[in-house]
Amino acid sequence: MYLLREILAQAQDAGVAIGHFNVADLVLLKAVFASARELEVPVLVGASEGERAFMGTHQLAALVRSLREEFDFPIFLNADHTHSLASAVEAVKAGFDAVVFDLSALPFEQNVRQTREAIQALKGINPAVLVEGEIGDIGTGSEIHARAPDLSRSLTTPDHARQFVESTGVDILAPAVGNMHGMLESMVHGDTRKRLDIERIRDIKVAARVLLTLHGGSGTNDDDLRSAIVAGINIVHINTELRVAWRSGLQEGLAKQPNEVVPYKILPAVVHSVKQVASSRLKLFNEGGKMALPS
Ligand SMILES: [Zn+2]
């Protein structure tokens, strides 16, 4: 059986990052899984509290588990942006492999104390579960924003990162390094791209010596993503790009067959559209090397 901790260690050694894609329905899950299988790379599927409320925490866990078992494939499940211990406990009990315990909106000391307590509680349920903590501000909402928030004053410092990791014992840290949740309209059209503070990522990695996740990867400059992985990013989150592809695939599927009512004849267009985005991102994250999957 695959363990996320081992897969992440292997990825770090190989110089590649694991792609993390949010899912809110079976179509997204099918598309993400098909991309990963085709490229033979491990993949992390995520669901925020809203996405879990829609799909069902236990139902999503059962779906991902069934894919992992039937195809003997390293697909893992992450409880993305979880804001309460109760919701984190539910996800771990359902079999999620990782939890993003996100109290980044709280003052630093409070974030440290409550994250440390949550780790104890969650590892008490499943010692293998990985817990990710977050410091700094990377905005909210993986959707299309009218204007960019000014996050420049809440970037993560290497000192804070080290302090947070040492005093909480998190397995993974999500820093604010120029990344941001959601996309601007200009990013959807490819006119502008997010830029990352690569130097800061490198300094945080050296200071905190922990696995690092880049949230809000949608719409980021490709070269910055490559450099960020070299600098120490281990997991890259893509959500908004998939949502944009989901919507345009659906519109296309409906427009092409205006009289069709059979879901499984309409929805393959959505799978196709989402899969293209997931595949291109997975290729980029895995450019740096090749992970040998046990066959
Ligand atoms: Zn995020």
Side-chain angles (χ1 to χ4, degrees):
M1 206 67 229
Y2 296 101
L3 274 179
L4 180 55
R5 181 186 295 282
E6 287 169 12
I7 292 286
L8 282 165
Q10 282 176 35
Q12 180 153 269
D13 289 346
V16 303
I18 305 291
H20 173 291
F21 302 95
N22 286 70
V23 300
D25 69 6
L26 184 61
V27 169
L28 285 153
L29 179 60
K30 277 175 79 80
V32 168
F33 183 61
S35 317
R37 253 194 112 202
E38 208 170 273
L39 296 168
E40 297 180 312
V41 295
V43 73
L44 191 45
V45 165
S48 65
E49 288 179 326
E51 286 158 340
R52 269 140 53 204
F54 183 71
M55 281 202 84
T57 301
H58 288 266
Q59 288 67 38
L60 176 57
L63 282 170
V64 172
R65 192 182 310 121
S66 75
L67 290 171
R68 181 153 65 187
E69 288 173 2
E70 179 178 350
F71 299 94
D72 189 25
F73 193 87
I75 178 170
F76 301 97
L77 184 56
N78 175 45
D80 205 9
H81 296 288
T82 302
H83 302 288
S84 77
L85 183 57
S87 160
V89 164
E90 189 195 5
V92 175
K93 281 188 175 165
F96 279 55
D97 303 286
V99 174
V100 176
F101 196 66
D102 178 5
L103 300 183
S104 58
L106 294 182
F108 186 79
E109 293 306 329
Q110 228 171 312
N111 184 359
V112 165
R113 193 175 61 248
Q114 292 187 33
T115 301
R116 189 174 49 218
E117 288 166 5
I119 291 171
Q120 271 187 352
L122 299 176
K123 301 234 180 206
I125 299 166
N126 174 10
V129 78
L130 299 185
V131 182
E132 178 175 320
E134 186 172 323
I135 47 174
D137 187 2
I138 47 182
T140 54
S142 295
E143 50 209 353
I144 311 302
H145 302 299
R147 63 183 70 82
D150 180 17
L151 303 172
S152 58
R153 270 166 299 180
S154 38
L155 294 176
T156 304
T157 66
D159 265 358
H160 264 155
R162 182 176 36 78
Q163 226 181 306
F164 184 79
V165 169
E166 282 175 2
S167 37
T168 57
V170 284
D171 301 292
I172 307 168
L173 177 70
V177 289
N179 48 328
M180 161 198 118
H181 284 121
M183 291 168 83
L184 303 176
E185 192 66 46
S186 58
M187 291 171 180
V188 177
H189 303 302
D191 300 333
T192 61
R193 291 277 170 208
K194 294 176 199 169
R195 302 304 306 262
L196 302 172
D197 189 338
I198 304 299
E199 206 53 48
R200 188 179 293 270
I201 295 171
R202 202 173 294 129
D203 292 346
I204 289 171
K205 189 73 173 188
V206 169
R209 287 180 299 177
V210 71
L211 294 164
L212 296 178
T213 295
L214 183 79
H215 282 253
S218 291
T220 306
N221 175 282
D222 284 1
D223 282 331
D224 279 11
L225 285 172
R226 291 184 184 98
S227 306
I229 293 166
V230 172
I233 291 290
N234 304 97
I235 300 169
V236 183
H237 281 222
I238 299 289
N239 190 357
T240 315
E241 283 181 7
L242 290 198
R243 289 176 167 181
V244 169
W246 180 92
R247 187 182 169 101
S248 66
L250 184 58
Q251 281 170 327
E252 207 175 294
L254 292 171
K256 266 191 193 152
Q257 309 168 83
N259 300 314
E260 188 57 75
V261 296
V262 180
Y264 60 76
K265 292 183 181 171
I266 297 169
L267 294 174
V270 191
V271 174
H272 178 75
S273 167
V274 172
K275 193 176 158 218
Q276 278 185 314
V277 173
S279 295
S280 77
R281 284 326 202 172
L282 280 174
K283 276 182 199 154
L284 190 146
F285 302 157
N286 285 277
E287 261 177 24
K290 178 77 186 150
M291 275 185 73
L293 290 188
S295 51

